[in-house]
Each structure stands twice: as structure tokens, then as C-alpha cells.
Amino acid sequence: MEYIQLDNSDLSVSRICLGCMGFGDNTKGLHSWILDQEATNDIVQQALKAGINFFDTAISYAEGTSEMYLGKALALFANREDIVVATKFMPRTEEERANNVTAREHIEQSLNASLDHLGMDYVDLYIYHMWDYHTPMEEIMDALDAMVKAGKTRYIGISNAYAYQIATANAYAKHHHQSQFISIQGHYNLIFREEEREMNPFASENNIALTPYSALASGRLSRLPGAQSTRLASDQIAKSKYAASADQDDAIVQRVSKIAEKYQVSMTEVSLTWLLTKVAAPIVGATKPHHIDGAVNAVSLKLSEADIHYLEELYTPHPLVGVMANNH
């Protein structure tokens, strides 16, 4: 495993971040395939043994039970000071707004709940899950800075936002000597590259770490077109992101397969190795042991410039999908 310093922080993280959306009580989650506590323990233990020290969850994943299961697993197998834990909070609800719950109250209550779920005194990275158009940005940044000053999180990050929104928020924070976003968790992979228009160069110029989600396009970049899995068959959220663009994406997926054959490795390794040339630490979910193996192996695989060009040259623009399609 390789480790890097997450830009603008002193966090030393593995090049692979374990995404924990697949952990939790499956009666409370959006998916039927999420793992119970025992299976979560097995995946987390294997990840730690492979050198992964970076874990990403959210209070919204399986109604907080992802955080609970992850926290219990880490307590069994890791020392707190040896791991980097990120979690996320949602915007205020309509009910909270109606009851005049402030941004500070909402964020502090959310973070306290996450810490209780995780069984921890602090998180390393607290992430604004999606832009809240009903709450002034200034109030969000003031509240997040207060959480850093209170020692409840070491740093703050953001997900599902436009570059201009992050630039505006960080400029406000800098002007007021507050904590700024040190990481961006966007939707980015070999068949969805819209982040390259503005977000990637913005992040590079400002030393903000890219930690993208959907690194394998919900499994589409790990198997040939037409190949199915339980997750692919049942994940309606993933279908909503990728089904409409399948025709233009399939040719790229075929090229991933060709490169995998060339190096005698898995398609997972090729897809993640490409992404690792662009970002700090992609978030990779795992619900089976071999998912960890493929992710870790990608760190040591090297692609030539010709390989990278071959993988990239067929890409055509995509409309925004998922959370970002509703970021307005």
C-alpha cells in the first residue's frame, strides 16, 4: 500500500479509501445487499491487513447503522490513532427549517450523533454531503469551523458541489480565518469524467484532495458489458446513473477489458489504476474479500501513457446524473 498526505492537512492516508455504504442494517438501507456486522468485521479486518487506513461513511447510510457497524469493527481491529475516518452530514430537513433549527444546531447534532454511532470522540474529516440551498453558505462554514475548534473533527470536506460553490465557501472561510474544505468527494470514474472540466484543475491549483465516489461506476468498470451481479441487477440508484449512457460507455469498458488482458490483471485493477493517476484516494466499496484485493493491487499497477490514451480517447460528454443532477 502507498500512503499520501491529504492535501492541506496532516492526514496520512492510504491511496485507497474503503467506502462503507455497503455496511449496515439492510432493513434500514436503500439496498438489499448491504452487510451485517459479522461480514462488516471481516471486510474491515481484511482492509486493515492490506494497509488501508482510510474509511468513509455517512450518517445517511442505512440510517446511521453504517457508522455503527464500522465503528464496532474498527474498535475490534484498529487503534484510533492509526486510522483516518470520514463521515458526512445532510442538509437541514424541511421540518428542521420549519422549527427554526439553525445550521449550527443541525451540524452539531448531526456530528454528535455520528460520533455516538462510531463510538469515537472525533472524526478526522467531516464532509458536507450535498449543497444546502435553504441555508446560507456563511452559516454552514461558521458552524463547521466551530466543530473543528471544538475538537470534534480535525478537518472538513465537501461532496456533490460545483467548483464555484467550493471556491466561494473557501474564500469566505479564508477571509474569516476559518477552516477550509481540504477534500472534494465527487462523482468521477473512467466512464463519467465531467469533473475534469473545472473541478480537477480547481482542486489541483488549490491543493484540495480529490477523493471520488463511484470509482468503479457501481461495478460497470469491473466486468464486461452485459455481465450481471446481484448488486447491478437490484441497484436502482446505479441504474439511474449509468443506464442511459450504456451505449457510449460500453466501448470504453471493452477497452478496460483489453488492457486487463494485456497485463493479466482484473478490470477492477485497470479502472482504479487509471483513476489513481488523477486523484488522491478513490473511495472503493467492498462487500466481498476479492473486492479488497482488486483495489489494493491497483495501487502497484502501472499504465503507460499509451494505455491511458487508449482508455480515454472514446469518452464523450455526459449529462449530470445522481445527486449533482439535482444540484440547483
Side-chain angles (χ1 to χ4, degrees):
M1 179 54 64
E2 293 177 2
Y3 300 88
I4 59 168
Q5 181 175 312
L6 216 55
D7 294 343
N8 288 336
S9 81
D10 63 359
L11 300 176
S12 177
V13 301
S14 50
R15 292 298 309 278
I16 298 295
C17 176
L18 184 66
C20 302
M21 188 176 70
F23 305 157
D25 182 342
N26 67 11
T27 68
K28 299 180 182 297
L30 294 173
H31 309 292
S32 60
W33 40 263
I34 63 177
L35 303 182
D36 62 18
Q37 185 68 67
E38 183 178 358
T40 296
N41 291 351
D42 290 342
I43 293 292
V44 169
Q45 185 177 29
Q46 183 182 357
L48 290 164
K49 287 180 177 178
I52 294 173
N53 74 339
F54 191 12
F55 300 85
D56 175 85
T57 184
I59 198 169
S60 62
Y61 295 165
E63 299 181 14
T65 59
S66 170
E67 292 177 322
M68 293 178 186
Y69 287 22
L70 174 64
K72 289 177 181 177
L74 290 173
L76 286 173
F77 305 117
N79 296 318
R80 180 64 185 91
E81 62 272 18
D82 295 333
I83 53 175
V84 175
V85 177
T87 194
K88 301 182 279 292
F89 69 96
M90 297 292 285
R92 290 185 302 162
T93 64
E94 185 176 347
E95 181 181 5
E96 285 177 311
R97 298 197 304 271
N99 291 330
N100 296 314
V101 175
T102 67
R104 169 68 181 268
E105 291 168 338
H106 167 72
I107 289 172
E108 187 161 20
Q109 289 167 8
S110 295
L111 182 48
N112 285 344
S114 289
L115 293 175
D116 183 60
H117 295 161
L118 288 161
M120 296 177 180
D121 297 325
Y122 68 94
V123 291
D124 300 281
L125 183 61
Y126 198 44
I127 299 170
Y128 187 13
H129 207 153
M130 59 190 67
W131 198 261
D132 182 354
Y133 284 90
H134 298 285
T135 304
M137 171 273 293
E138 296 85 351
E139 294 181 18
I140 297 287
M141 300 307 291
D142 291 347
L144 286 172
D145 185 64
M147 296 304 98
V148 175
K149 287 183 168 63
K152 294 184 178 183
T153 183
R154 296 175 66 190
Y155 297 96
I156 59 172
I158 189 166
S159 181
N160 296 304
Y162 293 112
Y164 84 88
Q165 293 173 321
I166 303 170
T168 302
N170 271 0
Y172 170 84
K174 182 177 182 180
H175 180 73
H176 290 85
H177 307 288
Q178 295 179 341
S179 298
Q180 299 177 46
F181 296 124
I182 65 151
S183 68
I184 298 166
Q185 190 178 127
H187 179 194
Y188 185 35
N189 57 55
L190 191 52
I191 59 174
F192 192 86
R193 293 168 49 200
E194 299 310 298
E195 293 288 81
E196 293 177 3
R197 298 176 183 277
E198 293 189 355
M199 191 65 77
N200 288 15
F202 164 73
S204 177
E205 290 177 10
N206 290 276
N207 296 318
I208 302 175
L210 295 173
T211 61
Y213 66 85
S214 203
L216 292 170
S218 298
R220 281 153 181 79
L221 284 165
S222 64
R223 53 178 55 82
L224 285 168
Q228 276 289 2
S229 68
T230 301
R231 177 173 180 176
L232 287 176
S234 63
D235 193 335
Q236 296 302 316
I237 295 175
K239 287 180 180 178
S240 72
K241 290 182 186 176
Y242 299 108
S245 61
D247 290 345
Q248 68 192 100
D249 298 338
D250 283 355
I252 298 172
V253 177
Q254 293 282 2
R255 290 197 171 196
V256 173
S257 177
K258 293 291 186 184
I259 298 294
E261 290 177 10
K262 173 182 174 181
Y263 290 106
Q264 292 296 291
V265 297
S266 68
M267 292 174 64
T268 291
E269 291 167 64
V270 172
S271 299
L272 290 178
T273 298
W274 174 84
L275 191 55
L276 283 161
T277 68
K278 313 290 184 180
V279 307
I283 297 168
V284 184
T287 55
K288 296 178 181 177
H290 73 267
H291 295 162
I292 297 288
D293 296 336
V296 171
N297 291 341
V299 176
S300 58
L301 179 65
K302 303 299 180 186
L303 298 176
S304 69
E305 289 297 323
D307 295 330
I308 291 171
H309 175 73
Y310 179 70
L311 291 169
E312 292 181 350
E313 68 175 335
L314 298 182
Y315 186 77
T316 55
H318 285 50
L320 295 180
V321 293
V323 175
M324 284 300 290
N326 298 302
N327 185 4
H328 51 77

